[in-house]
Amino acid sequence: MDDIISLCKRRGIIFQGSDIYGGLAGTWDWGPLGVVLKRNVMQTWWRYFVERRTNMYGVDAAIIMNPKVWVASGHAATFADPMVEDMVNHRRYRADHLLKDADIEADDGMSDAELTKLIADNGIKSPDGNPLGAVKRFNMMFRTTVGATESDDAVAYLRPETAQGIFTNYKNVVDTVYPAVPFGIAQQGKAFRNEISPRDFIFRSREFEQMEIEYFVHPDKWEEAFEHWHDEVHNFLEKEIGLPADMIHDYEVPEKDRAHYSDRTIDVEFDYPIGREELMGIAYRTDFDLRNIERATGKSMEYRPKDGSEPFVPHVIEPSFGVERLIMAILTACYQTDEVGGSQRKVLKLPKSLAPIQVTVSPLLKNKSELVGKAREIYDSLISAMPGKVSWDDSGNIGKRYRKADEIGVPHCVVVDFDTLTDNAVTVRDRDTTQQERIAIDKLAKYLAK
Ligand code: GAP
């Protein structure tokens, strides 16, 4: 984990949020390489789950929604973590985390009284060694106020899940594109949770990005839809993203631990450096959300089939991904150490399609103007052929350049040497095999694109 955090910081992938001011816990900033990696991952998801399908529609809803949304959805009442306070310095901690840290089995599905008893029975103290108070629930939604007044009427929340932006647009989508059930609505975007103990790098943050689908089905068809999305999720993680299948595990969440809206949940877990933890979840949300909207607004959420058969309120299967947890899984799986030419190298074996930089171009020697000139020509032409994917590097010696490129997962390094001046070809070095090939300059763009 420390290696991954250090790599991310050193190479401009992920920085601590507000770092220069001492940071802000649970917030992270994406650097020049990270922003491209994140975009590549999100685009891969969008292509796989939305663009390749004929019954999937995208939305991009507002982050601040009418507060009635969170009352109807149950988040205002139940979206809370068990919290315990240090009685001396008043710092607050997740009660279940403190217990787990002391190797005592606990989870946030336990009642406040149960957790309080476990803390007392086991003599758990705060990390500063002070006594702890009783466990209380703490709502995780971030509050803000809308408009010029600060009255209770003006209170609004930053969305804790993107899903509600989909449910509130279900009727808009049905009334504008007339989809046939089953169909899905997808959304990517920021979600905010005031986590009591943000931790483990980007794994548990206060501001993060979700990629969610609400898939609307006939109530009789939810089981087959659940299986379908379960298969699709595994296919995406293993084939599309290339995560090793033996690091991915399903956890059938028992009823007592499921979210308030779910009648079945499978958490897809991953073997992170911090242990096996949830990467994403697939939930059967029944008609819970659409019925809540009906009750709160008085508007019917019934779907009228085009064949004239009985109208119904659709049930929902929800595959929900967190971008940060997916990227942490990718970094975990791809950051490897191997041996090249008798010395150890660190290499990020990213799938080529996800690599932020696809190719570096460099002259063998930076003080030979004829090599630099030729390399610049090639660099310029590749930039127009593959915008945003090419980088120039003439620092240090060639061995060091390869190591730098390996560490950030650049699949190919192009080097212009003295032979280039006569044979119009360059050396292309492959990150994974470290093999070098001689490629004619006029075929280079095509070779790299392939
Ligand atoms: N709409 C359903 C929903 O939000 P969730 O299990 O609370 O379900 C879905 O969240 C996904 O969002 C998780 O599987 C995880 O990938 C990501 N996620 C949740 N909380 C997070 C946090 N504090 N930091 C980073 N990612 C988080």
Side-chain angles (χ1 to χ4, degrees), residues 53-94:
R53 294 163 207 269
T54 51
N55 65 346
M56 198 64 83
Y57 306 89
V59 292
D60 188 2
I63 287 173
I64 301 176
M65 304 177 75
N66 187 315
K68 288 180 190 160
V69 168
W70 308 112
V71 176
S73 71
H75 284 81
T78 60
F79 194 61
D81 270 349
M83 199 185 73
V84 69
E85 195 168 309
D86 178 314
M87 299 308 280
V88 177
N89 59 28
H90 304 292
R91 290 202 178 111
R92 290 167 172 182
Y93 302 94
R94 277 273 296 259

Side-chain angles (χ1 to χ4, degrees), residues 64-67 143-157:
I64 301 176
M65 304 177 75
N66 187 315
R143 274 160 64 105
T144 185
T145 49
V146 174
T149 58
E150 297 254 328
S151 68
D152 281 353
D153 295 352
V155 169
Y157 301 92

Side-chain angles (χ1 to χ4, degrees), residues 161 163 193 195 202-205 208 210 212 261 278-281 285 318 320-322 325:
E161 60 167 10
R193 295 183 187 180
E195 296 279 358
I202 53 174
F203 183 83
R204 189 176 301 284
S205 331
F208 55 98
Q210 287 188 320
E212 301 202 290
Y261 48 71
E278 175 187 339
L279 192 171
M280 62 82 58
R285 289 183 82 129
E318 177 197 65
S320 172
F321 287 80
R325 292 198 187 173

Side-chain angles (χ1 to χ4, degrees), residues 80-322:
D81 270 349
M83 199 185 73
V84 69
E85 195 168 309
D86 178 314
M87 299 308 280
V88 177
N89 59 28
H90 304 292
R91 290 202 178 111
R92 290 167 172 182
Y93 302 94
R94 277 273 296 259
D96 53 330
H97 288 179
L98 288 185
L99 285 160
K100 275 191 202 155
D101 288 348
D103 284 333
I104 296 158
E105 215 169 289
D107 59 60
D108 58 0
M110 291 177 163
S111 72
D112 294 354
E114 282 172 311
L115 290 166
T116 304
K117 186 166 178 329
L118 271 181
I119 286 176
D121 290 352
N122 291 284
I124 305 294
K125 297 265 186 286
S126 80
D128 295 318
N130 299 322
L132 293 162
V135 175
K136 283 192 206 129
R137 295 283 146 170
F138 168 79
N139 195 294
M140 291 161 70
M141 287 195 291
F142 276 102
R143 274 160 64 105
T144 185
T145 49
V146 174
T149 58
E150 297 254 328
S151 68
D152 281 353
D153 295 352
V155 169
Y157 301 92
L158 304 189
R159 66 182 178 202
E161 60 167 10
T162 58
Q164 294 305 322
I166 296 180
F167 289 119
T168 49
N169 278 294
Y170 157 81
K171 195 165 158 44
N172 286 336
V173 172
V174 169
D175 292 347
T176 51
V177 298
Y178 311 111
V181 164
F183 72 94
I185 306 180
Q187 174 163 230
Q188 298 184 329
K190 292 271 189 180
F192 302 82
R193 295 183 187 180
N194 197 0
E195 296 279 358
I196 294 166
S197 19
R199 58 181 185 178
D200 299 323
F201 191 35
I202 53 174
F203 183 83
R204 189 176 301 284
S205 331
R206 290 186 166 135
E207 174 177 343
F208 55 98
E209 202 106 32
Q210 287 188 320
M211 306 186 284
E212 301 202 290
I213 293 169
E214 306 305 326
Y215 195 68
F216 299 92
V217 297
H218 188 281
D220 295 342
K221 297 275 168 69
W222 78 266
E223 276 162 312
E224 68 189 69
F226 194 99
E227 293 312 323
H228 168 74
W229 286 108
H230 181 225
D231 290 348
E232 289 289 345
V233 160
H234 274 273
N235 201 48
F236 172 74
L237 293 172
E238 291 161 28
K239 306 271 160 44
E240 222 36 49
I241 296 290
L243 294 178
D246 61 358
M247 295 177 86
I248 302 172
H249 311 274
D250 285 339
Y251 173 64
E252 182 80 49
V253 180
E255 190 180 347
K256 69 176 178 51
D257 295 336
R258 287 200 292 259
H260 61 280
Y261 48 71
S262 177
D263 266 18
R264 184 182 177 193
T265 299
I266 289 184
D267 280 348
V268 176
E269 301 182 327
F270 188 78
D271 292 326
Y272 291 104
I274 51 170
R276 185 174 294 180
E277 294 284 352
E278 175 187 339
L279 192 171
M280 62 82 58
I282 309 161
Y284 168 40
R285 289 183 82 129
T286 67
D287 54 359
F288 178 83
D289 300 274
L290 293 184
R291 292 282 184 202
N292 285 338
I293 293 177
E294 281 191 332
R295 273 189 288 274
T297 65
K299 292 183 183 137
S300 168
M301 294 293 119
E302 252 181 10
Y303 174 82
R304 295 183 175 278
K306 288 173 189 161
D307 63 7
S309 53
E310 217 30 41
F312 57 91
V313 173
H315 281 214
V316 170
I317 305 298
E318 177 197 65
S320 172
F321 287 80

Side-chain angles (χ1 to χ4, degrees), residues 325-345:
R325 292 198 187 173
L326 179 53
I327 290 181
M328 204 164 123
I330 294 168
L331 293 173
T332 303
C334 296
Y335 197 46
Q336 299 170 12
T337 307
D338 60 12
E339 212 182 277
V340 173
S343 63
Q344 222 190 36
R345 78 161 174 163

